[in-house]
Amino acid sequence: MQVLKFGGSSVANAENINKVIELVRQALSKDRTILIVSAMGGITDMLIQAAQSAAAGDESYKEKLQQIEHRHLEAVRALLPLTGQSSVLSAVKTRCNEIEDICSGIFLLGELSPRTQDKIVSYGELLSSLIISARFDSLGVPNTWKDSRQLIRTDSRYGHATVDFVRTNAQILQYSLDNPSVSLFILPGFIAANDNNITTTLGRGGSDYTAAIVAAALDANPLEIWTDVSGMMTADPRLVSNPRLIPNISYQEAMELSHFGAKVIYPPTIQPVMKKGIPVWIKNTFNPTDPGTVIEFETLHNGGGSIRGISSIPGIALLSLEGSGMVGIPGFSKRLFEALSSQQINVILITQGSSEHSICVGIDESNAAAAKIAVDNAFGPEISTGTVEPLIIETGLSIIALVGDHMKSHPGVSGKLFGALGRNGVNVRAIAQGSSERNISAVIAAADVRKAINVLHEEFFETSYKQLNLFITGAGNVGRRLIAQLLQQRSYLQEHLRIQIRVIGLANSRKMIFNNEGVDLRNWQEQLDKGQPMKLDQWIAGITSRNLRNTVVADVTANADVASCYAALLQKSISVVACNKIACSSVYGNYRQLKDLAREFNARFLFETNVGAGLPVIGTLNDLLRSGDKVRRIQAVLSGTLNFVFNNYDGKRSFSEVVRQAQDEGYTEPDPRLDLSGTDVMRKIMILARESGEKTEMEDIGNNSFMPESCMQGSVDDFYKAMSKEEAHFKALFQAAEKEGKKLKFVAQFDNGKASVGLRHIGPEHDLYHLYGKDNVVLFYTDRYSEQPLVVKGAGAGAEVTASGVFADVLRVINS
Ligand code: ADP
Ligand code: ASP
Ligand code: MG
């Protein structure tokens, strides 16, 4: 004897029902079969809506009922030959009229009791099972339809009745169904009756439970639950994009997963079959050859380490009972739970700290108001004397749960869980872990559920593959190269580093675009041109509201407004990678705040390209300091522009011509005075000083500027004119150095806590002497590198290397 149960989507229409019939026929060739069916998909909901509308005095219930009737009549017409239709059509119509009669009663009374609602929804399963039975008849497959209400006795908890007379039930079921002359019984799932023969239902999703009760009573083997997914998945496929099939799972794990929201199986289903050790198969009606999941006793673990799956329950309210009067006094929890149970409120999660100062329980949000009244009443005397506070209720929460039998023998699971949530800014409100250690649950904001489940899924099941969600602000010289590099490295990153970077948003100063699946980088320019107008606040809101895991925002602009948004991002645990120097070179307080926010909210704030473009300058400095070295002195040539200018100026061509060439070749800032005045170099050495732990501001940095005052006024044109007039000054500078056999270098220095910049004569013996093109060089003199400095040298400007530095920072975020 085998029991096959088909869910709502499997019997949603004539086409699907035909698939079911085919599968059952194949099964019949193996063994006698009991077929349990759900209502046609969506019908239970529609029946409930119709009844509720009627109770609210809303006549639209009639339309709903018509739709319900229409769907069933349509299925009958499609499934049965004309000659066989009329009796079934009239049976369907008769039942639909009964529903209509009950609803008009509800409408007149303006009242819908749970008992009446059960009566109404029972028609869903009655109708579907009758139609399916008729279809078998029409195909000449003998079958016997049975009314489950005569076979399964429940208590009277309408809406979610339970079967409490297992023995009696087993006897009735055996007596009625263990009949060797019938090879196919067909039963409506979900519905049953109490001792007084009043219709009850077994709770939403309860057809699974019907099937388990029947299988257990008859010692059937196996029980097959046929649905619209190919088995139990490691997480809800509607929430996670690449869930994995769980090939086998223990009864206990399946029970935990389903209790915590894995809707694929109704939780009470497991108990009866576990008692009898009946294996349960979850199979896909629409892909019947897929292997599916088998639920049985102990199972082998494959993938995911000690974790079998992740699930979530929405609509949770957290109740906190707090007060000094509770400490050390027994009986408080008992009274709290009594107050809740007096209102039939089911407690889903409990936590109590050892201080006993507060007890916290999670319940269904819909019960929150009733809980408040009941608990505040129960603790009325203590509340009035102030020893206990009125019950605190928080709503808008969900529970997420990690489930696995073998968690207890694997330390570190909770560390990994909370670490991953923390890194992604998911705030945990309450935690529970049963001593069975089969489940760790955490209460989090409902808005964070999708992100949290994806983060955890990645952490526990996709260790080989991480996804990074990138938003790029700026699509100029650096931005477009960054995009080109991302595109070029895509397959390398996937194959070798197991990282997938998706550009979810892209903006320049005029336009912005978002694409949750990732912008196609092959034609980003066209897409961006057609994007919506760039509004910075909307751009930032677009990033934060998406609430995606592993989010990084790359700022490849030089814009102060963009830099002013970092704090808002870091506070949402979104990492920021900037080649924009403005934030780090603004007042110290701002720089410090951003670093602190990054630490507080577990995000990264990285700006390697602020100094020396792609050269690993800040990273090297950080590594030295972290490993316990002390920086004594930093000497550096940090301006590609100044380097270019002094490498090319030989007193023959005019200084202003050389500067013009530097500008034409793209080395300089749009206003070259920012480079020539040394301001840009000051910013860079200030950032290095700050990273070394010094609280430095721009005005603390000495600048021995070589630019005559006359050059620094007016427009860029005025600047070039003034420079021509000052040629003698520049020539004198050059010759003074040449006379000593030295070169002019604009050197930044950080020594003994003091930073300064200025023009120097550098001889051929010095590490700063041999610099070509746009090279930068940084010399770190430290305790460990005391005689010869640690030298970082190479191209220190240019879009390509800057983009690669930004890219490296982005990868640093995910590897941290
Ligand atoms: P049926 O109508 O066949 O009883 P349900 O809708 O009750 O089907 O359950 C199947 C659905 O459960 C799937 O379509 C899927 O969206 C959802 N689901 C939630 N969590 C999981 C999970 N961990 N594994 C598989 N399915 C899940
Ligand atoms: N039809 C019922 C429901 O939708 C029971 C079931 O499908 O299992 O909840
Ligand atoms: Mg179901």
Side-chain angles (χ1 to χ4, degrees), residues 5-9 37-45 48 121 124-125 189-191 203-210 263 266:
K5 176 260 169 178
F6 287 84
S9 46
V37 295
S38 289
M40 293 170 78
I43 292 293
T44 309
D45 284 331
I48 293 173
V121 289
E125 269 69 7
F190 181 50
I191 64 175
R204 294 307 306 269
S207 301
D208 298 338
Y209 190 23
T210 309
K263 185 193 170 206
Y266 182 53

Side-chain angles (χ1 to χ4, degrees), residues 33 63 97 188 207 228 309 346 357 369 371 415 447 577 615 714 755 782 785:
T33 301
E63 245 165 72
N97 288 341
S207 301
D228 57 1
N346 182 29
H357 180 73
V577 168
L615 293 181
T782 70
Y785 296 90

Side-chain angles (χ1 to χ4, degrees), residues 268-287:
T269 308
I270 306 293
Q271 198 72 37
V273 281
M274 182 167 75
K275 267 200 181 139
K276 293 284 180 86
I278 299 169
V280 183
W281 283 89
I282 315 260
K283 299 276 288 174
N284 189 343
T285 305
F286 307 96
N287 287 305

Side-chain angles (χ1 to χ4, degrees), residues 241 450 467-471 500-506 513-520 527 542-543 545-549:
S241 48
R450 184 176 281 271
Q467 186 175 307
L468 190 142
N469 296 304
L470 182 62
F471 294 82
Q500 189 192 51
I501 301 183
R502 287 197 311 194
V503 177
I504 307 293
L506 180 59
I513 44 171
F514 292 102
N515 184 335
N516 291 342
E517 303 309 316
V519 174
D520 184 348
Q527 299 171 62
I543 297 169
S545 66
R546 278 185 168 69
N547 201 11
L548 299 170
R549 68 194 184 284

